[in-house]
Amino acid sequence: MKTLSLPPRLRQFGAAVLSGLRHPTLRGMAWGLAAVPVVLGLYVLALIPFTPSIDDLRRVKAAKPSVILSADGQQLTVFERANRDWVKLADISPHVAAALVSTEDARFYQHRGLDLRRTGAALMNTLQGKVQGGSTITQQLARNLYPEDIGRARTMTRKIKEAITAVKIESVYSKDEILETYLNTVPFLYNAYGIEMAARTYFDKTADTLNVLESATLIGMLKGTSYYNPVLNPERALQRRNTVLSRMARHQKLPAADLAALKQMPLAVSFERQEPELGPAPHFTQQLRRWLIEWADRNSYNIFADGLVVRTTIDSRLQAMANEAVTRQADRLQALSDAEWAQKSGWTARGPKRELMLTFVRDSAEYQAALAAGQTDEEALRQLLANPPFLQKLRADKTRLQAGFLALDPTNGHVRAWVGSRDFASDQFDHVAQARRQPGSTFKPFVYGAAYENGSRPYDIFMDQAVEIALGDGAFWRPSDGGGPSGAPMTLREGLMYSKNTITAQVMQVVGPQRVAALARSMGVRQSKLDEVPSLALGTSPVTLREMVASYSTLANDGRYMEPMVVTRVEDRNGHVLEEFQPAVAQAAMSTHAANMLVDVMRGVVDQGTGAAIRSRYGIRADVAGKTGTTQDNTDGWFILMHPQLVAGAWVGFNDNRVTMGNRWGPGAQSALPVVGEFFQAALKAKVLDARARLSATAGMSSAAPPAGQELLAPGEPLVEVHGTEVPPGAGQAQAVIVPGGPGAPGGQPPASGNLSPPPIKYVNIQIHPAAAFPMPATAPPTQPVPAPVTVQVTGEAPARELPEPVLRIELPEPEAR
C-alpha cells in the first residue's frame, strides 16, 4: 500500500504559506492567494503515482474472468469478482443509457472526465451548506473500478484521486466503453452487480428488454440503492423513478407528452434473488480457487481479469453421475431420518433423543439471548419449546443428512468426481477435504495390510473369541461384534470380509498400533493425526474422505501412493500453455505382493461379505473390491470401492455427530454403499469404465506365498480353500484346517453374522503321493490337465456328502515340470 509523502521543499513552502496566513499582512495575503493554485497543483502531481496507471486501466478494459474446464472440455465455473453477467452496450436497452446520462451526467459527451461547470456549481452549493454531488459518470466509474485505491471518504484527497483517474480513463476508453463498463460494474443490492443481473433480480428479464419505466427505476436506485430499494421501499423508489423520468423529458430523451401518463404507472417489480452459477462441482472449484489464487500471485496473474483457462482432471460425465447418486440416495435417507425424528409432526421423541433436543435448544443463540435478558433456564426452555417455527428451523438444521463423495483414478491420482455436500448453496462445508470423521471399519485394511507386510497370510487362523486388551492403569479395551464371538476358528480373510472386530483387534495386537499408523500414513492418511492406540484398529481416529479414497487408490495401484491432483494445465486467454502439471512420482507405500493379497481379500467383501449388495443389488460384475464402515451408534456410514480405473468412496452422516442414523439404515452397507453402487452402475453402463478391466491381484493371490523358486497354479475358481503348513521335501502328510470356500464349496453359503456355517472341518490329514515340496494351500479346478500329476487326497472327519471326492482331488505338476 503506497503512502503519500511530500518532498521536503514542498513541505517547507507549505509551512511558509501557512505562517503567512496565521500572521496576515497585505503582502503575505497576496502571496498566500497566489500560492494556493501552486500548492494545489503540486499536490495533484504528488497524488498521480497513487492512482491506477494507464496499464492498469488497459487491463481492466480487456478484463476477462478465468474459466475452469473439465478434462473433457466442459465448463465447470468462471471466476469473477462478483455475481455479474457482462453484456455489450448494444445488448442493453437504450432507455438505460438515456436514463443514466440524463440523471447522472447530462454533459457526459461534452467533457473529458471532469465537468468543471458542474464541479464548480457543486462546490458553491456545498459552501452554502447544500451538499451536492458533482461527480461525472467517469468519476463514478473510477470509484467502482478502484474502491481500494480511491475510496469513498468525503475528503479532498479522494476527490482529487478520483478526478485524476477519471481523466486517465477518458484517455483509454471511448464514451461507449465507459458507459458499458459502468453499467456492468455498478452494484444493485442482493449480490447483483451490473445491469443484466439487476434486470433479472428486480424485473425477471434481460437487460435488452427493459422498458423506459424499468430503466428509470434501476437508474434511480444509483443515488442510494438501499434507500431507493423498490422491494423494501416502493414509495421512495416510485418517487425517484418519476424524478428520473422528468430529467429524461428535460433532456429530450423522453417525449414530454408521455411524462404525465408514465408517472401514473406502478413499479411492477418482479423480484427474484439471483444466485451465482455454482456449476456441477462447486466444492471442487472452491478448493481449486484457493490453489489458483496462490498460483496467480506467484506468477503475476489476476484470476479475475487475465482470462486464464484452467484444465482440470474432473470428468464431467462422472461428476454428473456422482451428483445424481448423492442427491437421490441422500434424499431417500433424509426421508427415513425425518420419519425417525418426526420432522413434519413436531419433535415427539422421548428419552435420549429428547435430551439431545434440549441440548440443541440450549446451544442456540435464541436460548443464550433469553438468558441474557434475565430468564431462567426453565423459562427460556418453556418459551422456546412453545415456538414451532424455532423448533422446526432447529430440527431442520440439526437433522439434515449430509454426504460426501470422491472418485480418483488410481493410476495417476486424477480427481474424477468430487461432491462435497448434498447442496453447496445450503452447506458449503466440504465433507471431502474438510470434514474429519471416524472411518470405522474402512480403516481395517490398514491393520490387515500391516499384518501381510509382517509375514501373515489371509488363511492364518485366529479364534473368534472375546478379546481383552490392557491399556494401563487398570483400564481394558474389550472390542466386540453385534452377535458376540462364535468360538470358532476364523481366517484373516474372513475376519476382514465379515468385518469382525474381535479378529481385527487380535491382529492389531500382533502387528502393533505404530506399524498400522505408519502404513496408513504411507498409503495416504497424511494430514490427519492418528492416535497410536489399540482402538485405532477399528477406525477411532478421525480422517477425511479424501485421505481414505487416496489410500484405497494406493492398494489398487499395486501399493504405490499417488498424490491426488486436480489441474493438468493452465493456459492464457489465447490458448498458450503457461504451465503444465504431471502426476507426482509414485511412492512405494507397501509391497506389491501384500497389496495384491489385501485387494483380493477385499474382493471377498464384495463377493460374500458386508459389501455383497454391490453384486446382488446393483448387478456390478466387474472386477471390484471394497470395504464398508460404520462407527458407533451409526454416527458415520462409509463405503469405498476399488476398480482398476477408478476408486470411489462415500461418507454419510450428520454435521453434528451427536445426531446418529437409524439402526436399520445407518450402517455403511445401507447408507454409503448405495451412493457408490449407483455411481459405478451408471459409469459401467455408460462405458465410461471398462467392465473387462482387471485389478492386478489375481484370484489365487490370497493363497500363502510359495517357497522360493516355485509358482502357484494358474488362477482358477477354488471349490475348497485349504489352509495348512508348508510340506517340506520328503514329508508324506500334514495337518490342515479346511473351511468352505467359493460358491461350489460344501455348504454353499457364506458365514452369517461372522459365524462359520457350516463349521470348519478341523485337523484332517492331507496325504501326498509321491511326497514332494509344494506350496500349501494350492487350489485348482479338478479337471485341470497337468503333466505328471501329483495326487493330493484328503482324509479325516469330513462326511462324504460335505467333501465329495471330485472337490478335494487337487492335481499339481511335479516340481521338475514347473
Side-chain angles (χ1 to χ4, degrees), residues 257-318:
D258 298 342
L259 182 59
L262 288 172
K263 285 186 174 182
Q264 300 303 313
M265 301 294 290
L267 283 176
V269 170
S270 178
F271 177 75
E272 183 178 354
R273 188 187 295 269
Q274 301 297 303
E275 299 296 340
E277 291 290 335
L278 299 176
H283 287 91
F284 170 82
T285 53
Q286 283 301 303
Q287 294 284 336
L288 179 61
R289 181 191 182 102
R290 287 189 279 271
W291 174 88
L292 185 60
I293 288 174
E294 294 178 2
W295 182 92
D297 287 345
R298 290 196 309 270
N299 294 277
S300 301
Y301 287 100
N302 186 321
I303 73 168
F304 304 115
D306 288 334
L308 300 174
V309 177
V310 182
R311 299 190 179 274
T312 73
T313 59
I314 290 289
D315 186 306
S316 66
R317 300 164 299 174
L318 293 174

Side-chain angles (χ1 to χ4, degrees), residues 441-442 444-446 448-449 452 493 496-497 523 551-552 555-556 595-611 615 623-628 639-642 695 697 702:
S441 294
T442 54
K444 288 177 180 176
F446 299 125
Y448 290 84
Y452 297 155
R493 178 183 180 87
L496 184 56
M497 280 174 54
M523 289 175 64
S551 298
Y552 277 56
L555 280 180
N596 289 346
M597 277 198 296
L598 186 54
V599 168
D600 188 54
V601 171
M602 294 169 72
R603 278 191 180 103
V605 174
V606 173
D607 293 337
Q608 297 171 276
T610 57
R615 303 289 194 204
D623 186 17
V624 292
K627 186 70 186 77
T628 56
F639 183 68
I640 306 175
L641 192 66
M642 296 175 285
L695 290 160
S702 61

